Amino acid sequence: MSIDTPSVTAWIGTSNQGYAPLAMEEVRRTIAGAAVKVLAPGETFVIESPYDRQETLRMLGDSPPVFLRHIQPIDGTLLLTGDQDPLHWLIEQVRQARPVLGNKQTAVHIRRADGSVFDRSVLETKTSVDAALRDIGAEPDQRSPEQIVSIYAVKEQLMYGIGTPEELMSDWPGGAIRFHREEGQISRAKFKLIEAERTFGLQYSQYREALDIGAAPGGWTSLLLERGVKVTAVDPGEMHPSLKRHPNLKILKRNASDVKFKPGTFDLLVCDMSWSPMQMVKLVLELTDSLVHGATAVVTIKLMHRKPLQTIRDVIAKLEEAFIVHRAKQLFHNREEITMFMTKR
């Protein structure tokens, strides 16, 4: 038994845990007339858009959201308390999608919310769907998909949809990017900078000289050094012992607000400090003369206030005095913060 969706298009939206209300508000502001309701508390919700698929995606693309991490179209919904076998239903959905999926590298993303009555394992579900993909000439491929089959089980419903990684905002299930922790890794903060590189389309190896403000213990510095960048690390705290003798690293054990550099010294600025948003803005603006024209900045902004959306607007407005702000995004590895990608004017 299938359930018809009540809108022109329906979607599942996902945010970082606890930020669903902000992501839902973003969606309401971006997609005029959209209805948004909670699906799994704190993280996942349903978007009912009065527009077709392409127009809905265009609106989200024209105003890239900060807190909406991942989106999945709902192309079909099955009531799990009915008589139909859910795997047979999924196989039939895949077969009907031959015009879209045929000859395409296709990933299968499976998510199950707490309390779902869907009783099939991830392995069993993926094995069945992969077999159906091969039957229609698609190639199962989790690493570099051209299309993604998304399956989400919540309470008594199974939801299915197809989209490209660009449309879904991620090629990871729910946008939950998982990096493997390396032996000897200095801190998990490194994951934020790796994710920023992927999300914003950067290549750190292309930069020559970086300034890392608030660098200790050196998670971000270590990644830049691995990419072959020369780094000046500023922090009154101690850097990790493994970094101290690196030939491409200069350490200044000082407060960031006390350092001065020659104009045009750096082509990359990174900063991940637990300062208030406007303190961070003031510090970054004071350092702009040390950056070359067109230099890149990747900066985290802590969300310490009750009105984060207004805080973000105020931060962007101030930073735009010296920078072109390309994106503000709460990455999967962010917690009470967002990451900003900018270039110096």
Side-chain angles (χ1 to χ4, degrees), residues 9 30 35 61 66-67 69 78 111 128 152 158 173 259 267 281 283 304 312 321 334:
T9 52
T30 304
V66 177
F67 296 101
R69 188 179 78 212
L78 178 72
R111 293 191 290 159
S128 298
Y152 186 82
L158 189 65
V259 296
D267 58 354
V281 169
L283 174 61
M304 301 177 174
I312 292 168
E321 294 175 7
N334 285 140

PDB file of all heavy atoms in Angstrom, residues 9 30 35 61 66-67 69 78 111 128 152 158 173 259 267 281 283 304 312 321 334:
ATOM      1  N   THR A   9       6.056  18.458  -4.602  1.00  0.00           N
ATOM      2  CA  THR A   9       7.210  17.613  -4.331  1.00  0.00           C
ATOM      3  C   THR A   9       7.413  17.523  -2.827  1.00  0.00           C
ATOM      4  O   THR A   9       7.133  18.473  -2.093  1.00  0.00           O
ATOM      5  CB  THR A   9       8.508  18.150  -4.980  1.00  0.00           C
ATOM      6  OG1 THR A   9       8.701  19.518  -4.610  1.00  0.00           O
ATOM      7  CG2 THR A   9       8.454  18.026  -6.491  1.00  0.00           C
ATOM      8  N   THR A  30      13.409  30.159   2.306  1.00  0.00           N
ATOM      9  CA  THR A  30      13.960  29.978   0.965  1.00  0.00           C
ATOM     10  C   THR A  30      12.911  29.508  -0.029  1.00  0.00           C
ATOM     11  O   THR A  30      12.901  29.938  -1.186  1.00  0.00           O
ATOM     12  CB  THR A  30      15.119  28.963   1.009  1.00  0.00           C
ATOM     13  OG1 THR A  30      16.098  29.420   1.949  1.00  0.00           O
ATOM     14  CG2 THR A  30      15.771  28.805  -0.351  1.00  0.00           C
ATOM     15  N   ALA A  35       5.725  23.765   3.473  1.00  0.00           N
ATOM     16  CA  ALA A  35       5.317  23.265   4.789  1.00  0.00           C
ATOM     17  C   ALA A  35       6.412  22.340   5.288  1.00  0.00           C
ATOM     18  O   ALA A  35       6.902  21.487   4.543  1.00  0.00           O
ATOM     19  CB  ALA A  35       3.996  22.513   4.695  1.00  0.00           C
ATOM     20  N   GLY A  61      19.572  26.158  -4.390  1.00  0.00           N
ATOM     21  CA  GLY A  61      20.878  26.465  -4.968  1.00  0.00           C
ATOM     22  C   GLY A  61      21.162  27.949  -5.018  1.00  0.00           C
ATOM     23  O   GLY A  61      22.309  28.383  -4.840  1.00  0.00           O
ATOM     24  N   VAL A  66      22.563  27.275   5.378  1.00  0.00           N
ATOM     25  CA  VAL A  66      23.652  27.103   6.342  1.00  0.00           C
ATOM     26  C   VAL A  66      23.472  25.807   7.128  1.00  0.00           C
ATOM     27  O   VAL A  66      24.413  25.044   7.330  1.00  0.00           O
ATOM     28  CB  VAL A  66      23.715  28.300   7.314  1.00  0.00           C
ATOM     29  CG1 VAL A  66      24.796  28.087   8.376  1.00  0.00           C
ATOM     30  CG2 VAL A  66      23.959  29.593   6.558  1.00  0.00           C
ATOM     31  N   PHE A  67      22.242  25.540   7.577  1.00  0.00           N
ATOM     32  CA  PHE A  67      21.992  24.445   8.508  1.00  0.00           C
ATOM     33  C   PHE A  67      21.371  23.211   7.857  1.00  0.00           C
ATOM     34  O   PHE A  67      21.395  22.142   8.463  1.00  0.00           O
ATOM     35  CB  PHE A  67      21.113  24.930   9.663  1.00  0.00           C
ATOM     36  CG  PHE A  67      21.776  25.985  10.501  1.00  0.00           C
ATOM     37  CD1 PHE A  67      21.455  27.326  10.338  1.00  0.00           C
ATOM     38  CD2 PHE A  67      22.737  25.647  11.434  1.00  0.00           C
ATOM     39  CE1 PHE A  67      22.072  28.302  11.100  1.00  0.00           C
ATOM     40  CE2 PHE A  67      23.369  26.618  12.196  1.00  0.00           C
ATOM     41  CZ  PHE A  67      23.037  27.945  12.038  1.00  0.00           C
ATOM     42  N   ARG A  69      21.737  20.205   5.999  1.00  0.00           N
ATOM     43  CA  ARG A  69      22.944  19.455   5.665  1.00  0.00           C
ATOM     44  C   ARG A  69      22.752  18.548   4.456  1.00  0.00           C
ATOM     45  O   ARG A  69      23.677  18.316   3.676  1.00  0.00           O
ATOM     46  CB  ARG A  69      23.339  18.616   6.888  1.00  0.00           C
ATOM     47  CG  ARG A  69      24.679  17.924   6.783  1.00  0.00           C
ATOM     48  CD  ARG A  69      24.983  17.152   8.040  1.00  0.00           C
ATOM     49  NE  ARG A  69      24.265  15.885   8.114  1.00  0.00           N
ATOM     50  CZ  ARG A  69      23.846  15.321   9.237  1.00  0.00           C
ATOM     51  NH1 ARG A  69      24.043  15.924  10.387  1.00  0.00           N
ATOM     52  NH2 ARG A  69      23.212  14.168   9.220  1.00  0.00           N
ATOM     53  N   LEU A  78       6.071   3.812   1.290  1.00  0.00           N
ATOM     54  CA  LEU A  78       5.380   2.562   1.565  1.00  0.00           C
ATOM     55  C   LEU A  78       4.988   2.508   3.032  1.00  0.00           C
ATOM     56  O   LEU A  78       5.814   2.801   3.913  1.00  0.00           O
ATOM     57  CB  LEU A  78       6.287   1.372   1.234  1.00  0.00           C
ATOM     58  CG  LEU A  78       5.710  -0.015   1.525  1.00  0.00           C
ATOM     59  CD1 LEU A  78       4.625  -0.358   0.520  1.00  0.00           C
ATOM     60  CD2 LEU A  78       6.805  -1.073   1.524  1.00  0.00           C
ATOM     61  N   ARG A 111      19.044   4.640   5.623  1.00  0.00           N
ATOM     62  CA  ARG A 111      18.996   5.183   6.988  1.00  0.00           C
ATOM     63  C   ARG A 111      17.734   4.684   7.681  1.00  0.00           C
ATOM     64  O   ARG A 111      16.692   4.520   7.048  1.00  0.00           O
ATOM     65  CB  ARG A 111      18.994   6.712   6.976  1.00  0.00           C
ATOM     66  CG  ARG A 111      20.279   7.323   6.466  1.00  0.00           C
ATOM     67  CD  ARG A 111      20.298   8.815   6.747  1.00  0.00           C
ATOM     68  NE  ARG A 111      19.360   9.551   5.938  1.00  0.00           N
ATOM     69  CZ  ARG A 111      18.876  10.767   6.233  1.00  0.00           C
ATOM     70  NH1 ARG A 111      19.236  11.351   7.364  1.00  0.00           N
ATOM     71  NH2 ARG A 111      18.056  11.384   5.426  1.00  0.00           N
ATOM     72  N   SER A 128      19.795  -6.546  -1.905  1.00  0.00           N
ATOM     73  CA  SER A 128      18.623  -6.661  -2.777  1.00  0.00           C
ATOM     74  C   SER A 128      18.548  -5.517  -3.776  1.00  0.00           C
ATOM     75  O   SER A 128      18.272  -5.727  -4.964  1.00  0.00           O
ATOM     76  CB  SER A 128      17.345  -6.699  -1.926  1.00  0.00           C
ATOM     77  OG  SER A 128      17.324  -7.825  -1.081  1.00  0.00           O
ATOM     78  N   TYR A 152      14.918   5.673   3.434  1.00  0.00           N
ATOM     79  CA  TYR A 152      14.830   6.149   4.818  1.00  0.00           C
ATOM     80  C   TYR A 152      13.619   5.494   5.475  1.00  0.00           C
ATOM     81  O   TYR A 152      12.488   5.621   4.991  1.00  0.00           O
ATOM     82  CB  TYR A 152      14.700   7.670   4.842  1.00  0.00           C
ATOM     83  CG  TYR A 152      14.757   8.270   6.238  1.00  0.00           C
ATOM     84  CD1 TYR A 152      15.985   8.496   6.853  1.00  0.00           C
ATOM     85  CD2 TYR A 152      13.606   8.591   6.932  1.00  0.00           C
ATOM     86  CE1 TYR A 152      16.057   9.039   8.124  1.00  0.00           C
ATOM     87  CE2 TYR A 152      13.664   9.140   8.209  1.00  0.00           C
ATOM     88  CZ  TYR A 152      14.887   9.360   8.798  1.00  0.00           C
ATOM     89  OH  TYR A 152      14.963   9.888  10.062  1.00  0.00           O
ATOM     90  N   LEU A 158       8.383   3.690   4.892  1.00  0.00           N
ATOM     91  CA  LEU A 158       9.637   3.537   4.175  1.00  0.00           C
ATOM     92  C   LEU A 158       9.613   4.524   3.016  1.00  0.00           C
ATOM     93  O   LEU A 158       8.695   4.485   2.181  1.00  0.00           O
ATOM     94  CB  LEU A 158       9.781   2.107   3.654  1.00  0.00           C
ATOM     95  CG  LEU A 158      11.143   1.724   3.057  1.00  0.00           C
ATOM     96  CD1 LEU A 158      12.224   1.771   4.123  1.00  0.00           C
ATOM     97  CD2 LEU A 158      11.075   0.332   2.431  1.00  0.00           C
ATOM     98  N   PRO A 173      25.384   9.121   3.213  1.00  0.00           N
ATOM     99  CA  PRO A 173      24.008   8.989   3.723  1.00  0.00           C
ATOM    100  C   PRO A 173      23.671  10.059   4.749  1.00  0.00           C
ATOM    101  O   PRO A 173      24.361  10.188   5.773  1.00  0.00           O
ATOM    102  CB  PRO A 173      24.003   7.585   4.347  1.00  0.00           C
ATOM    103  CG  PRO A 173      25.067   6.837   3.615  1.00  0.00           C
ATOM    104  CD  PRO A 173      26.143   7.852   3.332  1.00  0.00           C
ATOM    105  N   VAL A 259      49.776  39.939  17.082  1.00  0.00           N
ATOM    106  CA  VAL A 259      50.737  39.690  15.999  1.00  0.00           C
ATOM    107  C   VAL A 259      50.492  40.636  14.830  1.00  0.00           C
ATOM    108  O   VAL A 259      49.366  41.043  14.552  1.00  0.00           O
ATOM    109  CB  VAL A 259      50.665  38.228  15.510  1.00  0.00           C
ATOM    110  CG1 VAL A 259      51.083  37.275  16.616  1.00  0.00           C
ATOM    111  CG2 VAL A 259      49.275  37.891  15.003  1.00  0.00           C
ATOM    112  N   ASP A 267      48.633  33.625   1.449  1.00  0.00           N
ATOM    113  CA  ASP A 267      47.540  33.426   0.492  1.00  0.00           C
ATOM    114  C   ASP A 267      46.441  32.528   1.052  1.00  0.00           C
ATOM    115  O   ASP A 267      45.469  32.214   0.364  1.00  0.00           O
ATOM    116  CB  ASP A 267      48.051  32.869  -0.851  1.00  0.00           C
ATOM    117  CG  ASP A 267      48.793  31.550  -0.725  1.00  0.00           C
ATOM    118  OD1 ASP A 267      49.021  31.096   0.410  1.00  0.00           O
ATOM    119  OD2 ASP A 267      49.160  30.976  -1.772  1.00  0.00           O
ATOM    120  N   VAL A 281      35.458  38.228  14.101  1.00  0.00           N
ATOM    121  CA  VAL A 281      35.388  39.115  12.935  1.00  0.00           C
ATOM    122  C   VAL A 281      36.422  40.229  13.051  1.00  0.00           C
ATOM    123  O   VAL A 281      37.144  40.535  12.098  1.00  0.00           O
ATOM    124  CB  VAL A 281      33.964  39.699  12.794  1.00  0.00           C
ATOM    125  CG1 VAL A 281      33.946  40.818  11.765  1.00  0.00           C
ATOM    126  CG2 VAL A 281      32.985  38.604  12.401  1.00  0.00           C
ATOM    127  N   LEU A 283      39.213  40.285  14.718  1.00  0.00           N
ATOM    128  CA  LEU A 283      40.552  39.742  14.572  1.00  0.00           C
ATOM    129  C   LEU A 283      40.880  39.470  13.100  1.00  0.00           C
ATOM    130  O   LEU A 283      41.951  39.849  12.604  1.00  0.00           O
ATOM    131  CB  LEU A 283      40.675  38.445  15.365  1.00  0.00           C
ATOM    132  CG  LEU A 283      41.974  37.661  15.198  1.00  0.00           C
ATOM    133  CD1 LEU A 283      43.163  38.485  15.659  1.00  0.00           C
ATOM    134  CD2 LEU A 283      41.906  36.338  15.952  1.00  0.00           C
ATOM    135  N   MET A 304      27.205  31.421  19.821  1.00  0.00           N
ATOM    136  CA  MET A 304      27.080  31.547  21.280  1.00  0.00           C
ATOM    137  C   MET A 304      25.822  32.295  21.706  1.00  0.00           C
ATOM    138  O   MET A 304      25.552  32.439  22.893  1.00  0.00           O
ATOM    139  CB  MET A 304      28.300  32.286  21.840  1.00  0.00           C
ATOM    140  CG  MET A 304      29.623  31.586  21.544  1.00  0.00           C
ATOM    141  SD  MET A 304      31.021  32.565  22.152  1.00  0.00           S
ATOM    142  CE  MET A 304      32.386  31.450  21.828  1.00  0.00           C
ATOM    143  N   ILE A 312      24.702  35.292  12.261  1.00  0.00           N
ATOM    144  CA  ILE A 312      25.362  34.965  10.992  1.00  0.00           C
ATOM    145  C   ILE A 312      25.223  36.118  10.005  1.00  0.00           C
ATOM    146  O   ILE A 312      26.183  36.488   9.319  1.00  0.00           O
ATOM    147  CB  ILE A 312      24.787  33.660  10.411  1.00  0.00           C
ATOM    148  CG1 ILE A 312      25.185  32.474  11.298  1.00  0.00           C
ATOM    149  CG2 ILE A 312      25.276  33.434   8.977  1.00  0.00           C
ATOM    150  CD1 ILE A 312      24.443  31.204  10.988  1.00  0.00           C
ATOM    151  N   GLU A 321      33.108  43.753   4.329  1.00  0.00           N
ATOM    152  CA  GLU A 321      33.883  44.981   4.140  1.00  0.00           C
ATOM    153  C   GLU A 321      35.230  44.670   3.496  1.00  0.00           C
ATOM    154  O   GLU A 321      35.784  45.496   2.771  1.00  0.00           O
ATOM    155  CB  GLU A 321      34.115  45.659   5.500  1.00  0.00           C
ATOM    156  CG  GLU A 321      32.847  46.176   6.165  1.00  0.00           C
ATOM    157  CD  GLU A 321      33.125  46.724   7.549  1.00  0.00           C
ATOM    158  OE1 GLU A 321      34.326  46.820   7.923  1.00  0.00           O
ATOM    159  OE2 GLU A 321      32.154  47.059   8.264  1.00  0.00           O
ATOM    160  N   ASN A 334      31.213  20.227  12.313  1.00  0.00           N
ATOM    161  CA  ASN A 334      30.988  21.367  13.194  1.00  0.00           C
ATOM    162  C   ASN A 334      30.086  20.936  14.346  1.00  0.00           C
ATOM    163  O   ASN A 334      29.261  20.036  14.197  1.00  0.00           O
ATOM    164  CB  ASN A 334      30.304  22.524  12.455  1.00  0.00           C
ATOM    165  CG  ASN A 334      31.243  23.277  11.536  1.00  0.00           C
ATOM    166  OD1 ASN A 334      30.859  23.658  10.431  1.00  0.00           O
ATOM    167  ND2 ASN A 334      32.465  23.498  11.965  1.00  0.00           N
TER     168      ASN A 334
END
